[in-house]
């Protein structure tokens, strides 16, 4: 294909066109053929979507859930304020890893889901599942880490719950955090809001969180100083909204399934195409090296301190500058743009001049990353 | 002691007075001496309180959490509407039991925590932890049960999350539900709001849920038709609030730890005494029989479709009638009253004319009841 027109210009291009045709036909179909849950159903990628679309979405169907954004937004009663509400369960293994722990991750993750709805995070809940025999000292450290993360981000943990299960019936500790925020975004944000011409911005280098967890877990003896990028993104979002006014169409933090999955979700929901420039996507050399050794695509690796912003072209430069002026967006870049066709697809222009289809994560090379 | 004056009138009474003195001195102290989590830390009783007061409360301290009610309530931003927010994780075993399943329980439990804050339940979240290998057909049934329970109660499940852990790292499926409601109660409700003279009402017979679970689990071959009482209590609460106006001081659903724990929490928070009449507390014969065989006190057994209402004396009769007019309160009764002294204690006048101290649940005879 010609990178600009998406028209075929050779044999490779014809092959690509066929892939696009086949995948496009499948894009809005979800298959749940398995009889039992597999680890892939928790990947955040294709299998998770099949599970959601096959079971949860039809059973719970309602206009708020159906938008399938990171948080639901609504007004209550006679109120005019728009609220955001989100939930996330954390099962990361190991519980402590370079750059963070499950507690910090649980606070940042839910803050970020609220922030992606354009909301100022206000209140969090914390639900613990503890395994009998879990060390109280570890619990104390994890709770202290949650408290510090909440304090630093200016949110309050206002309600909680603790359950204990017998030894062997959980894996140390799992945490659910849910959160409520006050929507500050002036326009409508959502993965179904992308328009042709929109610019796609990424706030910094990708893959650090996922690779840090994997290296901590596998004891691969790869010498490295890769740390989780876990960070609360709500002040970065405030800067973006301030710079862009009504011109932000979607914010998304590429967690499970990585940037590839996040962008595919947008492409499917908005029925547009996204074209990325591989060279614009920052990956730290150590992360890239680890991905090569492990046979992983950095675009499918989870992050917890990065965001993708899709904005109207007129606002792109202002948003980029606002992101770069923020400590968590210093390495921000415009990484691609939105086109009308072919609908529901994501492409990457590779550094060597090729073009490939970028699918959402299939399988789960890295279970329990968050 | 003389049942009316709480003054000693014999040797047994002197012994009781000593127990009261010792326990009262300990009431507001919480000890967390263990180095590892035990099943008792999940009982909802004494050990859970020790864990909360020893770890969570000091780390997360803030005015909303510190009230330690079933839900936190607050207004947001410039809004004047009061919202309630709560979270609960469900690890009940078995997942399916007479009268319900984990999904129905997870919806009713969070609806009830909102209702106890005097709130109309609006939106729920659902977070799933699935064990690799879990049957998709069971998941489908549980999700259908959640959807039906939400529909019947008029609430929407608006946001969710799914995680999968490896085989052997969870026990089939755990569910967290969090919820948001709109506070409709005109006055301030809370376990610290009890006043001497208040009347204590109970909506119906106790112990059905806990005993149904235990019998389902233990395969004790006790012939019975005991079913979980799992039910959404928000419309019963609406009836109570309508009848009582400002005169409701506290609503609480006696789940983990049962009526005994719920009342002790109130007695400690309000620094008053509660005196119960054993004869007024309904327990179905089959439940009573099972409790006797198993050596359990029905007052410490979990319920999921019952509530305790503490109301000003002037409103007690009107509230009682309103409860009895509601399908879920037909067997409601006034079971006791609030006295000024001895502070932070709960007593039971027994059917045979004695009086005993009723402590919160110690240990955990029935782990994973919800």
């Amino acid at each position: 294909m010609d990178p600009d027109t998406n028209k075929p210009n050779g044999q490779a291009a014809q092959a690509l066109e066929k892939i696009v045709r086949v995948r496009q036909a499948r894009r809005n179909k979800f298959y749940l053929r398995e009889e039992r849950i597999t680890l892939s159903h928790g990947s955040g990628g294709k299998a998770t979507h099949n599970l959601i679309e096959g079971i949860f979405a039809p059973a719970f169907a309602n206009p708020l859930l159906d938008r399938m954004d990171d948080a639901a937004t609504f007004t209550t009663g006679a109120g005019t304020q728009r609220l955001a509400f989100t939930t996330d369960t954390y099962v990361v293994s190991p519980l402590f890893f370079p750059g963070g722990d499950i507690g910090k991750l649980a606070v940042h993750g839910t803050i970020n889901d609220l922030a992606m709805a354009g909301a100022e995070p206000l209140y969090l809940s914390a639900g613990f599942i503890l395994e009998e025999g879990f060390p109280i000292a570890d619990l104390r450290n994890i709770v202290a880490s949650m408290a510090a993360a909440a304090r630093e981000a200016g949110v309050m943990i206002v309600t909680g719950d603790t359950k204990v299960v017998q030894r062997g019936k959980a894996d140390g500790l799992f945490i659910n955090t849910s959160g409520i925020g006050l929507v500050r975004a002036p326009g409508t944000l959502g993965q179904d809001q992308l328009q042709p011409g929109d610019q796609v911005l990424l706030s910094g280098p990708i893959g650090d969180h996922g690779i840090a967890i994997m290296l901590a877990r596998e004891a691969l003896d790869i010498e490295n100083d890769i740390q989780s990028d876990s960070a609360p993104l709500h002040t970065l979002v405030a800067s973006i909204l301030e710079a862009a006014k009504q011109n932000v169409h979607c914010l998304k933090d590429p967690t499970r399934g990585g940037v590839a999955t996040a962008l595919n979700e947008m492409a499917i929901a908005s029925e547009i195409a996204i074209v990325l420039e591989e060279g614009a996507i920052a990956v730290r050399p150590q992360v890239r090296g680890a991905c090569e050794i492990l046979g992983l695509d950095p675009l499918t690796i989870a992050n917890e301190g990065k965001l993708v912003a899709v904005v109207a072209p007129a606002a792109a430069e202002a948003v980029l500058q606002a992101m770069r002026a923020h400590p968590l967006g210093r390495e921000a870049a415009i990484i691609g743009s939105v086109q009308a066709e072919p609908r529901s697809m994501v492409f990457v222009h590779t550094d060597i001049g090729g073009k490939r289809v970028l699918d959402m994560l299939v399988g789960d090379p890295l279970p329990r990353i968050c």
Side-chain angles (χ1 to χ4, degrees), chain A:
Chain A
M1 283 197 188
D2 179 275
D4 298 316
T5 63
N6 291 313
K7 293 276 184 289
N9 61 3
Q11 206 167 22
Q14 279 174 13
L16 180 63
E17 199 179 50
K18 190 173 168 194
I19 292 171
V20 169
R21 238 183 2 252
V22 171
R23 296 213 183 162
Q24 206 175 16
R26 283 196 195 142
R27 285 263 85 168
N28 295 305
K29 296 205 181 88
F30 295 91
Y31 304 90
L32 186 67
R33 292 208 192 83
E34 298 88 348
E35 291 188 357
R36 293 187 174 269
I37 292 292
T38 68
L39 286 173
S40 296
H41 288 122
S43 67
K46 189 75 185 165
T48 305
H49 280 255
N50 289 347
L51 186 67
I52 291 171
E53 297 295 334
I55 293 195
F56 299 116
F60 297 149
N62 64 63
L64 296 178
L65 181 73
D66 296 352
R67 300 202 54 208
M68 290 291 161
D69 284 315
D70 289 340
T73 64
F74 45 79
T75 55
T76 55
T80 53
Q81 296 186 122
R82 209 161 170 76
L83 296 173
F85 180 33
T86 190
T87 193
D88 240 324
T89 304
Y90 297 83
V91 298
V92 65
S93 171
L95 297 173
F96 300 90
F97 46 80
D101 58 67
I102 189 172
K104 181 177 169 185
L105 198 66
V107 170
H108 289 166
T110 291
I111 286 174
N112 291 347
D113 281 346
L114 293 171
M116 297 310 126
E120 178 191 340
L122 297 176
Y123 301 114
L124 301 187
S125 65
F128 295 85
I129 299 175
L130 300 169
E131 184 187 4
E132 184 186 11
F134 188 72
I136 299 264
D138 285 355
L139 177 61
R140 217 180 269 282
N141 288 336
I142 288 164
V143 166
S145 172
M146 292 181 80
R151 201 165 42 240
E152 283 158 23
V155 304
M156 280 199 275
I157 295 171
V158 295
T159 189
D161 178 59
T162 308
K163 294 293 190 303
V164 179
V165 298
Q166 300 90 335
R167 205 181 287 265
K169 300 297 185 187
D171 193 13
L173 163 150
F174 302 137
I175 302 177
N176 176 282
T177 48
S178 300
I180 295 179
L182 191 54
V183 178
R184 299 292 193 186
T188 303
L189 296 178
Q191 55 188 19
D192 59 353
Q193 298 292 311
L194 278 64
Q195 293 167 22
D198 281 356
Q199 299 292 297
V200 181
L201 290 84
L202 176 65
S203 65
I206 59 172
D208 297 56
H209 175 72
I211 294 300
I213 300 287
M214 172 151 244
L215 294 180
R217 188 155 59 199
E218 302 289 349
L220 290 177
D221 259 351
I222 300 177
E223 206 162 319
N224 75 91
D225 53 14
I226 301 170
Q227 298 220 329
S228 165
D229 63 341
S230 181
L233 295 168
H234 58 307
T235 59
L236 177 60
V237 167
S239 297
I240 292 170
L241 294 174
E242 170 71 22
K245 312 292 177 201
Q246 309 263 351
N247 289 315
V248 183
H249 294 157
C250 183
L251 296 169
K252 211 167 168 76
D253 55 336
T255 55
R256 276 186 299 174
V259 169
T261 302
L263 294 179
N264 269 283
E265 287 170 344
M266 296 182 202
I268 293 171
S270 295
E271 301 191 335
I272 47 72
I274 298 174
V275 182
L276 301 180
E277 300 301 326
E278 189 172 47
I281 300 165
V283 183
R284 292 188 209 287
Q286 287 198 341
V287 172
R288 190 180 297 282
C291 281
E292 277 169 13
I293 292 168
L294 298 165
L296 301 171
D297 180 350
L299 285 164
T300 64
I301 306 294
N303 313 273
E304 196 51 275
K306 298 298 179 301
L307 66 78
V308 171
V310 183
V311 304
E317 193 54 34
V319 170
L320 181 63
Q321 293 315 320
M323 288 170 80
R324 287 185 173 164
H326 190 284
L328 293 173
R330 273 196 297 263
E331 296 175 71
I334 296 176
I335 63 162
S337 61
V338 177
Q339 299 181 355
E341 296 284 347
R343 282 180 300 108
S344 308
M345 299 296 295
V346 181
F347 300 92
V348 183
H349 283 153
T350 61
D351 290 346
I352 52 168
K355 181 174 180 177
R356 66 177 172 106
V357 170
L358 181 67
D359 206 348
M360 59 173 70
L361 177 64
V362 176
D364 193 1
L366 275 174
R368 300 180 59 190
I369 214 71
C370 62

